[in-house]
Amino acid sequence: MATSQLAYGVEKLVGNGPEQIKQDISTYNSSETGDASHLMKALAWEGSKKVAVVQVPKPKIVEPTDVILKVTGSTICGSDLHLFHGSVMQMNKGDILGHEFCGVVEQAGPAVKKAQVGKRYVVSFQIACGNCFFCKNKLSSQCEVTNSNSQMKAMYGGRTAGIFGYSHLTGGFAGGQAEYVRVPLADANLLEIPDDVPDEKALYLSDVLPTAYNAVKDTAVYPGDTLAIFGGGPIGQMVGVYALWEGASKVIFVDTEPRLSFIKNRWPAEHADKLELVDFKKLSFGITNKETVVNKLKELTGGRGPDVAIDCAAGEYAKGWLHWLEMQVGAETDTSEIINEMVEGVRNYGRVGLTGVYVGYTNHFNVGSLMQRGIRLIGNGQAPVHKYWEELLEKIRDGTLDPTVMLSHRVRLEDMDKVYHKFDAKEDSMQKVFVETKFSLPRAQGTPELTTYE
């Protein structure tokens, strides 16, 4: 917690670059950003492994292109756990979390042209302007307008777009694990939800569905390819589904229980012969004579290795003591262990995609294997939601895509402090949740019943 808040303090001292929209509004406690006469529930970051449901002022329109959205559905993403663990820099106590949400527009600023009060919308997790070079090229996650953070530019050589509820490193925007949220540049960042699509399906167009689709498209999965997916959470699960669309001949999931069983139970029956499960906890790692994930991948693919591997886990989960120690003392921010397993595991001239979150620097990366064997290492980036969400919405409407295949729980906003701990521990096979608020519509048929936590 101290390191994350210290980084935010340094950013405040140094200052952002030139701002084109209002940033660092991560809660609504000032009279300019919130209405203290109307309070709402929201989930706030309090420190490492500490979140709390709090009462905060309801947001106000700050800029003429804003809308105020009444949240009818939200969720937790695996990448929220990086905030929960304190792995992401520039969090501040009281920041409102959540970057996946949908709802109904309650108020619209005077410059809003498309979004209409009373209509349902899903919100992109990234905040795009719609007019810069990257937005015009459908690469909205790299918008040049919505994030002016100086440390991000110094550290990465450039900036991503602003992101809801995901630290001041990405603009400091209050998130959607709340009853209301301010949505800047609303016309560019809202997708209208048709009447025939319930929130329990539309919500996931905000992030997980486009992110998984981008991983498959950007890394490239071709007909007949074998694919290894590292991480069987919701994004990994949907990467597997999309890989089948692309004609993959075999999909190998590398994870452990309970996720491997969840994947197996929800896997399309007509493709059962294409599924392989590898429990990494039953294998060794590093330089050893024992069986490893790399050995197992070779064994499952005729000794050659998969054509493609995609990381849907992240860089914060160290396996060995050396990486754990280096991360604890700040010698690296991310472990290279999963990347090395993918690079060494795929066939010569294979492709490796990184979709799981990596924050900064890593040590002991096997660059020799990458160079000598011609491995393509592809950073998939924060997924450009705007590039894919209309296409995926149509696939939901025609029945090709069913997001509820990953949905395991329905929970209440007021229980979210407890849900974070359960999600982190993967209790009760918690895979993907739907978070209801007092404004939520009745539960869609066929989706999980409400679970409450006292």
Side-chain angles (χ1 to χ4, degrees):
M1 175 181 176
T3 303
S4 183
Q5 290 195 297
L6 178 61
Y8 175 51
V10 171
E11 178 68 22
K12 288 177 69 177
L13 185 64
V14 172
N16 284 342
E19 291 188 0
Q20 298 184 57
I21 67 167
K22 297 282 187 182
Q23 294 169 47
D24 291 317
I25 303 176
S26 57
T27 187
Y28 308 113
N29 290 325
S30 78
S31 59
E32 294 180 354
T33 61
D35 180 1
S37 67
H38 292 86
L39 299 180
M40 67 168 186
K41 290 187 178 72
L43 189 81
W45 186 85
E46 298 290 319
S48 179
K49 293 197 173 181
K50 188 184 296 184
V51 293
V53 178
V54 296
Q55 294 277 347
V56 296
K58 176 183 172 182
K60 288 180 177 179
I61 297 286
V62 175
E63 297 186 289
T65 52
D66 293 349
V67 302
I68 303 303
L69 192 82
K70 186 165 58 176
V71 177
T72 57
S74 184
T75 187
I76 306 176
C77 179
S79 58
D80 286 326
L81 293 180
H82 309 315
L83 306 178
F84 184 60
H85 297 154
S87 302
V88 176
M89 294 178 290
Q90 295 196 23
M91 292 297 295
N92 195 39
K93 186 175 181 179
D95 288 351
I96 298 174
L97 300 176
H99 58 271
E100 297 178 87
F101 53 96
C102 63
V104 176
V105 171
E106 183 176 83
Q107 296 174 257
V112 174
K113 304 298 182 187
K114 297 178 183 176
Q116 298 180 37
V117 171
K119 288 197 170 183
R120 298 166 59 225
Y121 296 92
V122 60
V123 184
S124 164
F125 80 85
Q126 65 223 214
I127 302 165
C129 72
N131 294 311
C132 71
F133 169 84
F134 289 107
C135 287
K136 286 180 178 177
N137 284 282
K138 293 292 184 179
L139 301 173
S140 51
S141 62
Q142 308 303 319
C143 176
E144 298 171 302
V145 169
T146 58
N147 181 13
S148 301
N149 187 277
S150 297
Q151 285 187 40
M152 177 176 273
K153 185 175 182 180
M155 188 172 178
Y156 295 161
R159 303 182 183 96
T160 67
I163 297 176
F164 287 102
Y166 211 77
S167 87
H168 297 264
L169 196 69
T170 60
F173 296 92
Q177 290 169 2
E179 291 177 333
Y180 293 93
V181 63
R182 180 182 78 94
V183 180
L185 299 167
D187 283 338
N189 295 296
L190 298 178
L191 179 67
E192 187 174 350
I193 304 173
D195 291 341
D196 61 344
V197 178
D199 284 356
E200 290 88 344
K201 294 183 178 182
L203 165 64
Y204 305 107
L205 290 165
S206 58
D207 179 0
V208 56
L209 297 177
T211 292
Y213 200 46
N214 180 67
V216 171
K217 291 291 190 179
D218 190 53
T219 310
V221 176
Y222 299 118
D225 274 352
T226 54
L227 167 67
I229 300 169
F230 284 68
I235 288 177
Q237 183 182 0
M238 297 313 299
V239 164
V241 170
Y242 296 142
L244 296 175
W245 291 5
E246 301 297 316
S249 63
K250 182 177 288 186
V251 179
I252 306 165
F253 282 90
V254 181
D255 206 315
T256 191
E257 295 297 345
R259 280 186 165 166
L260 292 180
S261 291
F262 189 94
I263 294 289
K264 183 178 181 179
N265 293 334
R266 301 290 183 101
W267 189 251
E270 65 272 24
H271 295 291
D273 60 327
K274 299 177 181 177
L275 177 65
E276 297 282 357
L277 305 174
V278 174
D279 190 336
F280 72 85
K281 287 193 174 179
K282 296 181 179 179
L283 301 170
S284 190
F285 57 89
I287 300 174
T288 176
N289 291 324
K290 298 178 181 179
E291 188 175 30
T292 64
V293 170
V294 173
N295 300 146
K296 193 67 177 176
L297 292 179
K298 305 288 187 183
E299 176 189 319
L300 292 170
T301 54
R304 186 174 291 126
D307 301 288
V308 189
I310 298 177
D311 178 0
C312 301
E316 71 161 290
Y317 303 111
K319 290 183 175 182
W321 67 267
L322 180 59
H323 280 284
W324 178 87
L325 180 61
E326 290 180 340
M327 291 167 71
Q328 291 301 309
V329 301
E332 67 176 3
T333 58
D334 304 272
T335 174
S336 59
E337 290 161 300
I338 290 177
I339 299 178
N340 284 342
E341 287 179 340
M342 293 193 298
V343 167
E344 296 164 16
V346 296
R347 65 166 172 83
N348 292 8
Y349 287 104
R351 302 179 300 284
V352 171
L354 301 185
T355 283
V357 171
Y358 285 77
V359 176
Y361 299 94
T362 189
N363 299 325
H364 316 293
F365 170 56
N366 194 345
V367 67
S369 180
L370 183 85
M371 180 269 157
Q372 297 286 354
R373 299 174 54 241
I375 309 303
R376 272 59 174 161
L377 179 60
I378 302 159
N380 300 132
Q382 295 287 356
V385 168
H386 299 66
K387 183 175 183 177
Y388 303 113
W389 63 352
E390 291 179 351
E391 175 188 353
L392 293 173
L393 175 59
E394 288 310 307
K395 290 186 181 296
I396 291 173
R397 297 187 76 184
D398 68 20
T400 304
L401 174 60
D402 180 12
T404 65
V405 70
M406 61 182 168
L407 189 56
S408 62
H409 291 72
R410 185 185 187 96
V411 298
R412 304 180 301 177
L413 175 64
E414 46 265 51
D415 290 335
M416 283 288 279
D417 52 342
K418 305 175 188 71
V419 171
Y420 258 73
H421 288 275
K422 293 180 180 297
F423 184 65
D424 187 32
K426 303 180 184 66
E427 290 185 17
D428 193 24
S429 295
M430 190 174 282
Q431 179 80 342
K432 194 66 174 176
V433 304
F434 181 89
V435 181
E436 69 172 34
T437 73
K438 65 182 181 182
F439 304 119
S440 294
L441 299 168
R443 180 182 63 86
Q445 186 175 2
T447 61
E449 299 277 356
L450 179 67
T451 301
T452 59
Y453 301 97
E454 301 301 331

